[in-house]
Each structure stands twice: as C-alpha cells, then as structure tokens.
Amino acid sequence: MTRPGDVTEALAVQASGGDQGALDALLRDIGPDVLRRCARFLLYREDAEEAAQDVLVQVARNIHRFEGRSKFSTWLYTVVANCSRQKYRELKRRAAETPLTTAEATHPDPRTTSVIAGSRVDLLEALERLEREAPQLVTPLVYRDICGLDYAEIADRMNLPVGTVKSRLHRARQQVRPWLVDGPGTPAAPDGP
C-alpha cells in the first residue's frame, strides 16, 4: 500500500527532474500542509497564507535543486522556515517604517509586538537574536521544536552526526529559554550563582 508521503516524495523526485505535471501535482499536494506549517510561525492566517504562497513559489523555482539526498519533506521544512521567518521580518520592517497613528500607538500590531511571553512572536524574536549571536544553533532548533523533525532527519539534512545535532539543540534551548521568559529585549541572566 502506498502512503501519502510516499506519493509526495515520488512527485518531488519527478518534479526535480523537470516533469511539469509532477510539479503541478506536488504543489497541489503540499499546499495545505505548507499553510499549516507556516501557521506554526505566524499568528495571523493572512500572514501565514502569504508565507505559504512564498513557499510554493520557492518550491516551484527551486525544485531542480532538490537532489533526493534527504526526504523532500525535510527539504520543504527548510523552505517553510525560511519563508515564514522572512515574512515576519517584513512585517517588523513595515511596522518600523510606518509612522504610528495615535490609535496604533496605544494598540500596537500584535504581529510585530511581543504580547505574551512564550508566544510565537516571542519565539521569532528569540530566533532572530539567536541568529545574530549563534547562527549555527538556529537550524536544529527550528527543525526539532517547530517543524517536529526527528534527530536522524535533522542530522541527515544538516550533514552532521546525531550527537552534534543534539548538542546544538540543547545549547540553543538553553540560550533561548531566558529570552522567552524575560522577553526578547531583555538580556539573559548570567548562568550560575
């Protein structure tokens, strides 16, 4: 019996070889999952939908780069994470460039303002900060804690030993945890007594 994931993987291989019909079928097949995964990053459906469209465009443009060394779903998670984070950066940039009206100043856009510690907005802020301070720790954290990949898939995708992935993930969580508790703009408290 063929599982749905096997069909998607087969379509990706065919599409990467230049089969336009397979690419069209692949984009239809992954669309709902892409939207769900973008929504893990972005609070508002409209933003998630825009990011999902960006993902589908990137897949269509870059499917020829999918080499089949890892599962297509793993390759796709990278595109989803990158497009979702890029959409969040755009929202922040737009908010910073647009002068606030009196009403907006008293009720800031929750898409770009941390409202509740531990929210997805806070996580995105923490990922931005982690990328500046320790960029090698971002990918394992995104793959494991947001995309839900297992360690072996992450190791395969990053071309690293599983132990290194686990170590980086542990360090990333340690570094990000205080930012989610204290807030993204708050310096982390020093470790130890």
Side-chain angles (χ1 to χ4, degrees):
M1 183 172 156
T2 306
R3 296 188 326 247
D6 295 339
V7 171
T8 302
E9 295 293 329
L11 286 172
V13 169
Q14 293 169 353
S16 70
D19 183 334
Q20 186 62 44
L23 176 60
D24 293 341
L26 177 67
L27 294 175
R28 279 191 307 275
D29 183 54
I30 65 173
D33 186 48
V34 165
L35 178 57
R36 253 188 325 279
R37 292 187 183 284
C38 289
R40 287 183 177 175
F41 286 90
L42 299 160
L43 296 169
Y44 288 85
R45 183 167 178 86
E46 295 82 11
D47 298 335
E49 287 172 348
E50 285 183 31
Q53 285 301 312
D54 293 344
V55 169
L56 296 176
V57 167
Q58 290 301 316
V59 169
R61 285 185 183 157
N62 297 304
I63 190 67
H64 65 278
R65 293 185 179 158
F66 173 64
E67 299 170 352
R69 290 184 303 125
S70 62
K71 291 170 50 174
F72 171 74
S73 57
T74 306
W75 183 83
L76 180 62
Y77 294 153
T78 304
V79 179
V80 167
N82 290 341
C83 288
S84 296
R85 292 175 61 212
Q86 183 59 38
K87 176 55 63 185
Y88 179 69
R89 287 182 194 118
E90 286 175 26
L91 291 168
K92 277 183 57 176
R93 188 174 52 249
R94 263 190 261 153
E97 292 171 353
T98 306
L100 295 177
T101 65
T102 306
E104 291 171 332
T106 57
H107 297 93
D109 185 349
R111 293 181 301 180
T112 58
T113 306
S114 176
V115 183
I116 302 168
S119 72
R120 283 178 278 184
V121 173
D122 289 321
L123 179 58
L124 288 166
E125 286 290 332
L127 287 172
E128 294 295 309
R129 184 172 173 185
L130 185 61
E131 189 156 36
R132 287 189 304 270
E133 295 182 16
Q136 75 281 6
L137 303 180
V138 173
T139 301
L141 185 67
V142 167
Y143 279 161
R144 181 72 181 155
D145 290 355
I146 297 175
C147 297
L149 297 181
D150 64 38
Y151 294 112
E153 284 182 291
I154 298 168
D156 182 53
R157 181 69 184 152
M158 295 184 69
N159 200 24
L160 293 171
V162 171
T164 302
V165 168
K166 288 181 178 182
S167 172
R168 286 184 184 181
L169 180 59
H170 176 72
R171 288 187 2 241
R173 287 173 176 162
Q174 278 185 313
Q175 196 158 344
V176 166
R177 190 173 291 120
W179 301 338
L180 295 177
V181 173
D182 299 336
T186 307
D191 290 335

